[in-house]
Amino acid sequence: MFRQTRSEVADALEAALEGLDLPTDDLGIEEPPEDVAAVLASSAAFRLAGEVGAPPPKVAADVAGEIDADELEYVDTVEQQGAYINFLPSEAYFAGTLDAAQDDGFGRLPDRETSVVVEHTSANPTGPVHVGRARNPIIGDALARVLSYAGYDVDRHYYVNDAGRQIAVFTWAYETFDEDDLPEPERDSPEYEMVRYYRKGNSFLEDADDDRVDEAEREIQSILQGLEEGDDETYERVGEVVDTVLGGMSATLERLPATFDEFVKETRFMRDGSTDDLVTRLKELDEAVYEEDAWQLDLPDFEKNLVFLRSDDTSLYTTRDLAHHEWKFDTYDRAVTVLGEDHKLQADQLDATLDLLGHDTDQLDQVFYSWVNLPEGGMSTREGTGVDLDDLLDEAIARAREEVEDRLDDRSRDDDIDEGDIERIAHQVGIGAVRYDIVSKQPTKGITFEWERALDFEAQSAPYVQYVHARCCGILDEAGAEPTAGDLDVALLGTDAERDLLRVIARFPAVIEQAAEEHRPHVVATYTRAIAEQFNTFYRECPVLDADEDVRLARLALVDAARHTVANALDAIGVEAPDSM
């Protein structure tokens, strides 16, 4: 109801301002502080005071006086408070909220008929996914989910770097070294087995004598040249390595979960002629220069030129990514890319180049994130010293299992939990804790992951929110039936705790809308904490099962509304909502 009320308030304000012959370009609609009973307020009087030549409170009073609340459905009262105009909710607002939140799909917005491709993760397929980069798939998948909830038609893509030097080194190493000369893999999984070749190859190139290194470099260069020339045999050799590693990486990412609709290989844009066509058009730009044995773009807003073609006529990653983005623009209405903060210069240059090529770069949005660190220290896939994401998730499940087992004796819910249930809950809580802790922070802020905070059932963490969903399920199970339409008498929910919970529930669709528009899934995570806190207040102050029958039914409907809201809010950021804990 919040979104509908916002529209109603906007229409009423606009009509009032027009009636007073005042400009309507900025209505100043905002959410008031928590201690104000209104669901919405307007600060337009501050802006209009100079034009009217009267103090803001006088302007606010005049505007409020122009609005007849009796003509509004979701607003009961319009009040002036200082320079603000407050809009207090009607019974229809609360009744509509309670009714809407009974639906399993509560929070999903109407179809926008707009396609969006979200590219995320796109880590080089050179070994296991490590913790430092874990923020990319978690933010990327959460953002894709939020956009889907907001009514967009979303495709999730992983852009595969299968044409760069690292992959050429990997392919050469895989074909050069014997498995007998390699250490045992850290896990029985394809990427862990394959990464041994990559590390061995890099070690060889650093430590071997010059003649052997020169020979290896010639072979590596021949692989790069073969890719550039479209040699089928070279593509098959590289593809074997890349696809094997990607298979293992995908299995790890699915644990988060983060899944993809398509793995888009950069060699695709070499083989179909897109890159060559792009290079031709880039050379024709006024900004194109040939300097230092390479074709470059001298972009005026950047200190560093964008190199797009080497002297041996081989393209670069950025060149192929430009062709990739042109394909995105042809295929989708909008494109979003999730990138590490170290890629900002490259992304800005790509954006500027696409603009020079005549594309509407308003179609493209980039979301940058900072790194995830562990107290134990640094990480590096190449050196083999990193903390792998698999290890972090295993540890999360193990710690969650201990926490769940420790809490068994304190459970008030009368149901039997067996070993299978404990394992299921441990997975839901453990992986949910990792994911929630990462997605709940603003992407540009660095994170040091701490177990005690992430798995704290009492703090503002995933288990804290998940437990609210489990508690809702427990109440409804004990009641023996879910509420029906006849149980939705909102007039019986008159306490502050009940009304405040309905207010928070009403905001959920608007939270989804905001998170999607701003590309900030952490807004949804923040919201889950707010509803969890408000539900716990309601749970403490308003008995459900022991209440009089009519109140009991109404409160069960409110519990059901909270259950749907918490479940869908968690789902929108990719965190499971356990039925029991």
Side-chain angles (χ1 to χ4, degrees):
M1 288 303 105
F2 184 88
R3 292 174 69 246
Q4 293 90 326
T5 305
R6 189 174 57 195
S7 296
E8 187 176 68
V9 166
D11 291 342
L13 276 170
E14 187 170 354
L17 294 176
E18 287 175 350
L20 294 170
D21 198 24
L22 293 174
T24 60
D25 53 307
D26 182 2
L27 301 176
I29 297 174
E30 58 189 57
E31 292 186 51
E34 290 184 4
D35 59 349
V36 176
V39 293
L40 287 167
S42 170
S43 60
F46 286 106
R47 174 180 60 83
L48 297 169
E51 184 154 346
V52 174
K58 173 66 168 61
V59 177
D62 290 343
V63 175
E66 281 287 307
I67 301 174
D68 184 358
D70 291 339
E71 297 180 355
L72 304 179
E73 182 177 2
Y74 300 117
V75 174
D76 179 67
T77 309
V78 181
E79 296 179 348
Q80 174 241 340
Q81 182 181 9
Y84 291 92
I85 305 165
N86 292 333
F87 297 85
L88 281 68
S90 67
E91 285 297 293
Y93 180 86
F94 294 111
T97 297
L98 186 62
D99 180 62
Q102 302 303 308
D103 193 288
D104 288 342
F106 180 60
R108 290 193 177 274
L109 305 186
D111 187 356
R112 297 173 185 260
E113 298 184 354
T114 302
S115 61
V116 181
V117 57
V118 177
E119 178 202 329
H120 67 83
T121 308
S122 300
N124 289 339
T126 53
V129 182
H130 67 97
V131 172
R133 297 281 183 178
R135 207 168 186 181
N136 197 314
I138 290 174
I139 292 174
D141 185 74
L143 179 55
R145 287 169 175 267
V146 165
L147 288 168
S148 180
Y149 262 82
Y152 292 95
D153 181 12
V154 180
D155 274 356
R156 299 157 173 84
H157 284 187
Y158 187 123
Y159 185 53
V160 183
N161 179 354
D162 64 335
R165 174 179 166 79
Q166 288 179 306
I167 298 302
V169 169
F170 203 158
T171 303
W172 160 78
Y174 178 65
E175 296 173 346
T176 299
F177 300 106
D178 293 326
E179 185 174 8
D180 293 342
D181 297 329
L182 305 175
E184 288 295 312
E186 297 167 11
R187 283 176 181 261
D188 183 17
S189 186
E191 77 275 34
Y192 288 89
E193 295 172 5
M194 294 292 288
V195 75
R196 299 174 298 161
Y197 293 96
Y198 181 63
R199 292 170 180 164
K200 178 75 172 181
N202 277 295
S203 176
F204 178 91
L205 293 173
E206 289 180 359
D207 301 333
D209 61 67
D210 292 345
D211 289 342
R212 297 179 70 193
V213 169
D214 288 344
E215 181 183 354
E217 289 291 355
R218 284 193 293 273
E219 294 180 28
I220 292 166
Q221 186 60 33
S222 72
I223 294 172
L224 289 170
Q225 199 69 43
L227 291 174
E228 202 73 35
E229 294 171 355
D231 179 66
D232 288 338
E233 182 185 354
T234 304
Y235 278 109
E236 290 177 6
R237 292 162 60 196
V238 170
E240 180 183 358
V241 171
V242 170
D243 292 344
T244 302
V245 175
L246 274 178
M249 293 174 71
S250 298
T252 297
L253 293 169
E254 286 173 5
R255 299 180 68 188
L256 286 171
T259 59
F260 299 89
D261 297 295
E262 189 173 353
F263 287 84
V264 181
K265 294 183 177 180
E266 63 175 325
T267 50
R268 166 180 181 168
F269 305 103
M270 299 166 70
R271 304 194 78 177
D272 68 5
S274 300
T275 303
D276 289 340
D277 174 70
L278 175 71
V279 166
T280 299
R281 286 182 285 124
L282 290 175
K283 287 181 177 180
E284 294 171 353
L285 295 174
D286 292 340
E287 291 78 7
V289 295
Y290 189 81
E291 295 178 356
E292 300 177 0
D293 295 328
W295 278 96
Q296 309 178 32
L297 288 182
D298 184 6
L299 301 172
D301 295 333
F302 300 91
E303 294 182 8
K304 185 179 180 181
N305 284 1
L306 175 70
V307 178
F308 64 87
L309 193 68
R310 301 185 185 92
S311 58
D312 60 2
D313 287 336
T314 55
S315 58
L316 289 86
Y317 176 87
T318 304
T319 324
R320 302 183 288 269
D321 199 22
L322 283 164
H324 172 216
H325 275 77
E326 289 192 320
W327 170 77
K328 286 183 183 180
F329 289 164
D330 288 341
T331 310
Y332 297 94
D333 297 318
R334 301 197 60 80
V336 181
T337 311
V338 180
L339 296 164
E341 59 187 2
D342 57 330
H343 287 81
K344 193 169 192 317
L345 172 61
Q346 175 188 322
D348 288 345
Q349 287 185 320
L350 181 141
D351 193 80
T353 304
L354 289 168
D355 187 60
L356 289 174
L357 290 168
H359 294 286
D360 178 11
T361 52
D362 287 342
Q363 289 179 261
L364 175 63
D365 293 289
Q366 285 129 353
V367 176
F368 295 97
Y369 65 91
S370 187
W371 313 124
V372 176
N373 297 305
L374 295 176
E376 289 78 5
M379 331 163 178
S380 168
T381 298
R382 182 176 181 276
E383 298 295 336
T385 59
V387 178
D388 295 324
L389 181 58
D390 279 313
D391 294 333
L392 181 71
L393 297 180
D394 287 349
E395 181 74 7
I397 294 167
R399 287 175 179 255
R401 186 185 298 109
E402 290 179 6
E403 186 69 28
V404 171
E405 290 173 341
D406 288 345
R407 297 170 66 88
L408 285 178
D409 292 339
D410 297 328
R411 294 181 83 251
S412 58
R413 190 167 169 182
D414 186 20
D415 60 348
D416 294 326
I417 287 187
D418 59 23
E419 284 299 317
D421 294 322
I422 292 174
E423 191 64 24
R424 170 183 53 80
I425 296 169
H427 275 77
Q428 292 174 319
V429 172
I431 292 178
V434 171
R435 182 164 179 133
Y436 187 94
D437 195 65
I438 290 175
V439 81
S440 64
K441 310 296 191 304
Q442 291 190 36
T444 53
K445 292 185 177 180
I447 294 177
T448 298
F449 184 84
E450 297 175 357
W451 291 112
E452 291 73 15
R453 179 189 64 218
L455 285 167
D456 190 341
F457 278 63
E458 308 301 328
Q460 294 185 335
S461 60
Y464 175 74
V465 179
Q466 289 172 314
Y467 192 72
V468 166
H469 182 266
R471 175 165 276 166
C472 289
C473 292
I475 293 171
L476 293 169
D477 285 348
E478 193 169 346
E482 292 188 9
T484 63
D487 303 332
L488 308 185
D489 186 356
V490 77
L492 296 169
L493 303 174
T495 69
D496 288 345
E498 291 163 324
R499 290 294 162 114
D500 287 345
L501 180 54
L502 280 168
R503 287 170 186 262
V504 177
I505 290 171
R507 288 179 47 236
F508 177 45
V511 169
I512 289 291
E513 184 177 53
Q514 177 191 354
E517 288 179 353
E518 299 176 358
H519 294 154
R520 299 195 305 160
H522 73 272
V523 169
V524 181
T526 300
Y527 171 78
T528 64
R529 293 197 291 262
I531 190 171
E533 290 174 355
Q534 199 58 59
F535 180 84
N536 286 334
T537 299
F538 159 77
Y539 181 77
R540 288 193 302 270
E541 298 182 8
C542 302
V544 178
L545 300 176
D546 296 334
D548 293 340
E549 183 62 17
D550 289 344
V551 174
R552 177 178 182 272
L553 291 173
R555 287 179 177 172
L556 282 172
L558 182 54
V559 170
D560 196 38
R563 174 174 68 96
H564 284 135
T565 307
V566 172
N568 290 352
L570 287 174
D571 182 62
I573 55 174
V575 175
E576 289 196 60
D579 293 340
S580 62
M581 287 176 65

